[in-house]
Amino acid sequence: MIRPLILATLSFSIAGLSPIAGADKKYGPGVTDTEIKLGQTVPYSGPISSLSRFGRIEAAYLKMINATGGINGRKVTLVSLDDAFTPAKTVQQTRKLVEDDDVLAIVGSIGTPTNLAVAKYLNSKQIPQILLLASTPKLDDPENLPWTTTFMMPQPVETRIYADYLLKTKPDAKVAVIYQNDDLGKGNLAGLKAALGSRASTMVVAEVAYDIMEPTVDSHIVALKASGADTLFHASNARFAAQAIRKAHELNWKVQHVLLSGVSSISAVLRPAGLAAAKGAVSAFWLKTSEDPMWDDDAGMRDFRAFMKEWAPNDDIEESIFPYATAQIMVEVLKKCGHDLSRENLIKQATDIRELQLPTFLPGITINVTPSSRIGWRKARMARFDGTRWVLLDDVAGN
């Protein structure tokens, strides 16, 4: 059994988090002397079931932590329910987690429209809804959603990185946009236009929305090619990004693909699209990648590979670095709660994270979460796909 050496390599400051020896215990729902019960919703079925790896990897990581004594002597139970990426089902399953399973908090739930569907409910009950895998800035609302935090780069920040890159390297680009017809797609389209500023009206020459239940986006790519665009911005999910890249290649559309970080996976997107078809695509990165040989001797990546080999051998290692990092910060926030495992203290710790750098972060990348700013990721590095792997470009971008 491997030891969780990764915990010893974390480098960050979370103000005021050190538990006081001998402090009185204070428990919220789902907590006992031996257990901390958390809940989440994940699309184990439905159109983006590929993201179910987040639930599996996080559960595996917590099993590893439990096997070595747990957190401050308590084992962590993660109740992870399927919502099929359907907001109505997310509401149903979240209510079950809160009212039937009596969890301490909702942690790491996946999806922009799904998390938005339950945010007001959870906040009205003062239940922490933290480390969400959602990029919408609507969830960064300390005044109206004081119990909510996320663990993804917000749409306005990520799209500004892409806009700055295009303005610097391809200022005369003719940009077509394919976007998912929900808060994910619409938010990234709006963010890109806002970041391009006055240039948006001339640079963005075509845009088309798709519904997540459509079987294919081939016809949309045909229409976008007819616009004369030389750049294609993908505000989409992995399945449709792969389809779009492949179809553009079949049409001999020599277009610059700009991919959201969430659809930059080689195994889930670029390989299904065709590596030759994806060559030259660009995206933003804040985590190391397992397929990049430059990290072969990196201590954090060695720990990650050892974890995957023992605790998640059936999952794709290329797809698992982000879920792994999410699980790491879950553990760290809980650990620093000490014996005060009340909901009030949990949200306090989750909103006071300063200069956090996990071993899997790219050098120079840290996150900060404060009571007034709930989205931590604000920096990344651009990279270009060379047909085999992603090659990092330039210095750290963002703010």
Side-chain angles (χ1 to χ4, degrees):
M1 182 178 296
I2 64 172
R3 297 171 57 200
L5 299 179
I6 35 205
L7 298 182
T9 63
L10 302 183
S11 173
F12 64 98
S13 169
I14 303 183
L17 297 188
S18 298
I20 300 172
D24 291 338
K25 297 174 182 177
K26 189 174 182 181
Y27 295 165
V31 181
T32 68
D33 285 348
T34 60
E35 182 185 31
I36 304 169
K37 187 187 293 186
L38 306 173
Q40 65 176 197
T41 56
V42 172
Y44 289 103
S45 63
I48 60 169
S49 59
S50 62
L51 294 181
S52 62
R53 65 183 179 274
F54 277 85
R56 291 194 303 273
I57 298 300
E58 289 158 10
Y61 188 89
L62 292 173
K63 286 180 181 178
M64 182 188 72
I65 295 299
N66 290 341
T68 54
I71 299 175
N72 297 323
R74 299 174 185 86
K75 303 296 178 67
V76 182
T77 299
L78 179 63
V79 184
S80 188
L81 302 182
D82 180 25
D83 68 357
F85 200 67
T86 304
K89 191 169 183 180
T90 307
V91 172
Q92 176 188 351
Q93 297 289 54
T94 301
R95 285 184 177 274
K96 181 182 184 302
L97 289 167
V98 171
E99 297 166 15
D100 296 339
D101 297 308
D102 208 28
V103 299
L104 173 67
I106 301 298
V107 182
S109 288
I110 292 173
T112 289
T114 47
N115 277 302
L116 284 169
V118 295
K120 289 183 179 179
Y121 163 74
L122 292 169
N123 276 262
S124 71
K125 290 185 169 292
Q126 299 184 331
I127 298 169
Q129 182 194 24
I130 62 174
L131 300 172
L132 306 179
L133 277 301
S135 59
T136 176
K138 293 179 181 179
L139 290 168
D140 181 24
D141 187 356
E143 182 176 349
N144 296 302
L145 301 175
W147 295 83
T148 298
T149 76
T150 68
F151 195 57
M152 285 193 75
M153 182 171 285
Q155 294 161 354
V157 174
E158 186 171 1
T159 51
R160 174 160 290 283
I161 291 173
Y162 299 133
D164 288 347
Y165 174 80
L166 289 173
L167 290 170
K168 178 181 177 181
T169 65
K170 201 173 182 181
D172 297 324
K174 296 179 181 179
V175 183
V177 181
I178 182 166
Y179 66 99
Q180 194 162 293
N181 193 23
D182 61 15
D183 280 289
L184 168 70
K186 294 175 183 177
N188 280 292
L189 172 60
L192 179 68
K193 288 182 174 180
L196 290 172
S198 61
R199 300 292 302 280
S201 60
T202 55
M203 291 182 72
V204 179
V205 299
E207 54 193 68
V208 64
Y210 69 84
D211 186 88
I212 197 168
M213 299 308 294
E214 290 183 45
T216 175
V217 294
D218 284 2
S219 62
H220 299 315
I221 299 304
V222 171
L224 289 174
K225 182 191 177 185
S227 70
D230 56 22
T231 303
L232 180 59
F233 179 67
H234 300 254
S236 56
N237 68 40
R239 180 164 68 97
F240 290 124
Q243 287 184 9
I245 294 169
R246 183 173 61 246
K247 187 62 179 179
H249 186 66
E250 291 172 355
L251 294 172
N252 198 31
W253 186 13
K254 306 295 186 182
V255 66
Q256 169 69 70
H257 295 285
V258 181
L259 302 173
L260 290 178
S261 57
V263 295
S264 62
S265 165
I266 292 177
S267 61
V269 178
L270 306 189
R271 195 169 291 127
L275 297 181
K279 186 176 180 180
V282 295
S283 188
F285 286 77
W286 52 85
L287 293 167
K288 299 167 186 173
T289 54
S290 61
E291 71 273 9
D292 193 332
M294 74 181 295
W295 307 120
D296 284 350
D297 295 324
D298 179 80
M301 292 300 288
R302 286 200 305 268
D303 285 336
F304 167 63
R305 292 188 182 99
F307 160 80
M308 291 297 298
K309 183 177 180 180
E310 180 163 349
W311 295 93
N314 297 321
D315 271 288
D316 186 341
I317 192 169
E318 293 180 17
E319 288 291 292
S320 300
I321 193 75
F322 196 3
Y324 175 82
T326 308
Q328 282 187 309
I329 190 172
M330 285 181 186
V331 167
E332 288 305 302
V333 171
L334 287 170
K335 183 178 178 182
K336 296 301 181 178
C337 285
H339 295 300
D340 183 353
L341 285 157
S342 62
R343 286 170 169 168
E344 292 78 10
N345 192 42
L346 178 58
I347 194 65
K348 177 183 177 182
Q349 312 301 6
T351 57
D352 200 2
I353 301 173
R354 303 178 188 179
E355 295 302 309
L356 181 148
Q357 185 172 47
L358 295 173
T360 50
F361 290 9
L362 288 174
I365 304 293
T366 60
I367 66 171
N368 292 273
V369 183
T370 70
S372 61
S373 179
R374 303 304 180 88
I375 299 178
W377 294 104
R378 298 190 179 277
K379 298 178 181 179
R381 286 185 65 180
M382 289 296 294
R384 178 179 291 110
F385 185 65
D386 70 358
T388 302
R389 66 184 181 91
W390 287 101
V391 179
L392 294 172
L393 308 172
D394 303 327
D395 295 324
V396 174
N399 53 43

